[in-house]
Amino acid sequence: MSKKKSFALDFAFYTHLWDFYFQNKSKIRSKYRLLSRKFLDFNNYENPDSFLRQPQFEALEIYIFLKEYQDNKKIHNIFTDWYEKKNGFESRSDIGVGKDEQTTLFMMNVEEYKEVFNRMKNYELNYANYIFALTMGTGKTILMATCIFYEFLLANKFPKDNRYCHNALVFAPDKTVLESLREIQSFDKPKVVPHEYLSWLDSNLKIHYLEDTGTTLNTIDRSKYNIIISNTQ
């Protein structure tokens, strides 16, 4: 394998993206909508009353960062802006210190940049496709529910802003995993949703659980705030 190709495969953009966020958190958060800041403050794991654990909260932080600060851009476009220090990344440094207090050094020539960019571009879809990888037992289902609740709250308050979704489709690979997704339906929302928004969410949230392939989905055309839980079968 060529040295250039090896660099492309080994380059972990998410670590540099996190370092940028961690170093510039206050400035970045100042650009967020008030509701987004309230949602983060409520769920901050450093808050003694918060429910989310640190990995869950940090994933939520990056989710909102991509939503509010990066406008749901595709990952290869975010990478280009980061590399070229533009569109919000003007303050990016080539040397930084992450939350683990380890110094990070970013050095990439044009050819290496193109190699990484092309690798990202090859996986492009029609929509921004982000993957959050948390270890087993961290609470991915709760994190998923929390992100959906956040989306619906923002979509209601800013209905013409196409960054926020009005409906959510949750897929499970098989029936075993599908059963575990019932937690989305039974989860105690006050644990992750600020109290002033609970009444609206309880009144408008509709959850549809499609356990079998023959189950009929009963939703009203153009209705909003539906969570549809199904499996790929």
Side-chain angles (χ1 to χ4, degrees):
M1 183 182 292
S2 69
K3 181 180 179 181
K4 183 169 64 175
K5 190 70 173 178
S6 177
F7 182 91
L9 293 175
D10 293 341
F11 182 73
F13 177 47
Y14 66 89
T15 61
H16 296 285
L17 196 63
W18 171 263
D19 287 347
F20 171 81
Y21 171 77
F22 185 78
Q23 295 170 50
N24 300 277
K25 186 181 296 190
S26 296
K27 180 180 178 181
I28 290 170
R29 282 177 54 118
S30 70
K31 306 293 184 182
Y32 291 176
R33 295 188 185 280
L34 178 60
L35 178 49
S36 294
R37 297 200 300 271
K38 283 185 176 180
F39 200 87
L40 282 172
D41 290 341
F42 184 83
N43 286 290
N44 191 333
Y45 73 95
E46 295 180 345
N47 178 350
D49 297 323
S50 67
F51 176 78
L52 295 184
R53 287 176 281 180
Q54 183 174 351
Q56 294 170 303
F57 176 69
E58 290 178 352
L60 178 65
E61 282 187 285
I62 292 299
Y63 185 87
I64 294 178
F65 166 78
L66 294 169
K67 179 80 55 178
E68 293 278 275
Y69 194 73
Q70 288 298 300
D71 294 324
N72 278 355
K73 285 184 289 192
K74 296 179 181 180
I75 199 67
H76 63 272
N77 292 327
I78 296 174
F79 173 60
T80 296
D81 290 343
W82 175 85
Y83 176 77
E84 297 179 355
K85 297 184 180 180
K86 63 181 184 181
N87 295 331
F89 291 104
E90 290 82 0
S91 60
R92 177 181 71 78
S93 172
D94 290 336
I95 300 176
V97 179
K99 62 172 182 175
D100 54 3
E101 299 185 352
Q102 295 294 311
T103 300
T104 58
L105 177 65
F106 168 68
M107 296 294 290
M108 179 185 286
N109 60 40
V110 174
E111 289 303 311
E112 289 170 335
Y113 156 74
K114 289 180 179 178
E115 195 70 31
V116 176
F117 176 85
N118 289 334
R119 180 163 62 92
M120 293 178 175
K121 189 75 164 58
N122 287 338
Y123 295 97
E124 180 181 18
L125 298 172
N126 291 329
Y127 54 90
N129 184 34
Y130 309 129
I131 297 175
F132 294 96
L134 280 74
T135 56
M136 183 175 293
T138 307
K140 293 185 287 293
T141 303
I142 294 303
L143 174 62
M144 188 189 315
T146 302
C147 290
I148 293 172
F149 298 156
Y150 164 79
E151 290 275 352
F152 286 179
L153 291 175
L154 272 291
N156 172 63
K157 194 166 183 64
F158 307 99
K160 294 184 179 180
D161 192 327
N162 59 15
R163 289 180 296 179
Y164 312 116
C165 70
H166 295 79
N167 293 287
L169 177 60
V170 181
F171 273 132
D174 54 47
K175 286 189 176 182
T176 302
V177 178
L178 181 65
E179 190 63 30
S180 70
L181 291 177
R182 284 189 181 276
E183 190 173 13
I184 295 176
Q185 189 169 12
S186 62
F187 179 60
D188 191 11
K189 293 188 289 298
K191 291 181 177 180
V192 297
V193 177
H195 302 303
E196 60 264 40
Y197 305 110
L198 283 171
S199 178
W200 177 88
L201 193 60
D202 285 335
S203 299
N204 291 274
L205 182 65
K206 298 172 283 291
I207 299 179
H208 311 268
Y209 190 84
L210 307 184
E211 189 170 7
D212 298 308
T213 55
T215 305
T216 301
L217 176 62
N218 295 313
T219 57
I220 300 173
D221 287 348
R222 299 185 180 278
S223 62
K224 299 178 181 180
Y225 316 120
N226 297 282
I227 300 179
I228 300 167
I229 303 172
S230 184
N231 65 44
T232 55
Q233 300 170 333

